[in-house]
Amino acid sequence: MQTTQPAYFSQYSSLKLTRDDKGVLLAEFHSNGGPFTFTAQDHTEFLDAFYRIAQDRANKIVILTGAGGDFIPGIDFATFGNVADPGVWSQAHDEGCQILENIANIRVPVIAAVEGQAHVHSEYALLANVIVAAESASFHDIPHFAAGIVPGDGILTTWSYRAGAGRAEAFLLNPQPLTRAPRTNGGSLPKSSRTERRSAERGNSPSCT
């Protein structure tokens, strides 16, 4: 088993990558070690990051999580520039599509360990094979309407797959935080405990109800 860390692990400012000797890769979203605020630079870097993760055959399991008790809680809109400019939007759109394609192309089990707010790009978590949601977890879509953008990209596709088209449209067109609680009434999110999330980070099999 490869014990040295590949060079790409240290190339991303807001994605901490660590892998144990069993090939379990922990990918942690963060801003300076704390809760993650998404920026345009991250958008560009994640395109490469998830391509490299999918390409690396030493990765046997991939765990996506966030630092500081949140998955992805916020976004810095100003860093993206004027998204009404066709050139700016074309880059953002292309990067966004390719990021999702690269996550979907990870050919090993992907676990999303979600604590706190998954309020930006919650589709990253929804693409996982297993979603482990802590008691504190809530899902939301704050970026699209706030930036004057229709939520008709990958977030609609993933939420439609997980929750059904009708529930996805209601969630995205009237954006309100969604906790894991609605699962008991036919929702899509698994229950877990803080202990199960830590278990997932150690590479053990989480139990979901």
Side-chain angles (χ1 to χ4, degrees):
M1 173 64 66
Q2 179 180 350
T3 56
T4 58
Q5 303 293 293
Y8 77 90
F9 276 25
S10 60
Q11 292 178 356
Y12 313 112
S13 58
S14 301
L15 189 65
K16 181 180 179 181
L17 300 175
T18 55
R19 186 170 63 205
D20 66 16
D21 58 2
K22 295 180 180 179
V24 178
L25 176 71
L26 181 64
E28 184 177 51
F29 303 112
H30 72 96
S31 291
N32 298 316
F36 179 40
T37 299
F38 205 103
T39 70
Q41 178 181 343
D42 300 319
H43 208 247
T44 300
E45 289 185 358
F46 288 175
L47 171 60
D48 180 72
F50 288 112
Y51 174 80
R52 299 291 296 275
I53 289 170
Q55 185 185 48
D56 189 346
R57 296 180 64 84
N59 295 326
K60 306 303 181 185
I61 295 175
V62 175
I63 300 173
L64 304 179
T65 193
D70 286 297
F71 192 74
I72 305 180
I75 186 169
D76 184 350
F77 289 115
T79 62
F80 286 84
N82 179 14
V83 294
D85 182 314
V88 173
W89 177 244
S90 177
Q91 178 178 345
H93 177 269
D94 289 350
E95 287 178 353
C97 290
Q98 291 173 56
I99 290 170
L100 297 187
E101 290 169 357
N102 291 343
I103 295 174
N105 280 332
I106 297 174
R107 289 174 166 80
V108 297
V110 177
I111 300 170
V114 181
E115 285 185 318
Q117 301 174 74
H119 288 189
V120 178
H121 284 304
S122 60
E123 69 269 26
Y124 293 0
L126 268 62
L127 282 169
N129 303 106
V130 177
I131 304 169
V132 183
E135 291 283 356
S136 63
S138 66
F139 294 76
H140 199 359
D141 178 47
I142 64 172
H144 286 95
F145 284 140
I149 304 168
V150 174
D153 55 4
I155 195 165
L156 175 62
T157 304
T158 52
W159 274 101
S160 295
Y161 174 73
R162 291 293 187 184
R167 285 172 59 87
E169 290 173 0
F171 169 67
L172 295 171
L173 295 176
N174 181 30
Q176 299 292 329
L178 174 69
T179 68
R180 70 177 199 178
R183 181 183 185 274
T184 59
N185 295 318
S188 59
L189 303 176
K191 294 183 178 180
S192 75
S193 66
R194 181 177 298 270
T195 301
E196 287 171 326
R197 183 220 165 173
R198 302 305 178 196
S199 177
E201 290 181 351
R202 292 194 298 270
N204 298 328
S205 176
S207 61
C208 301
T209 58

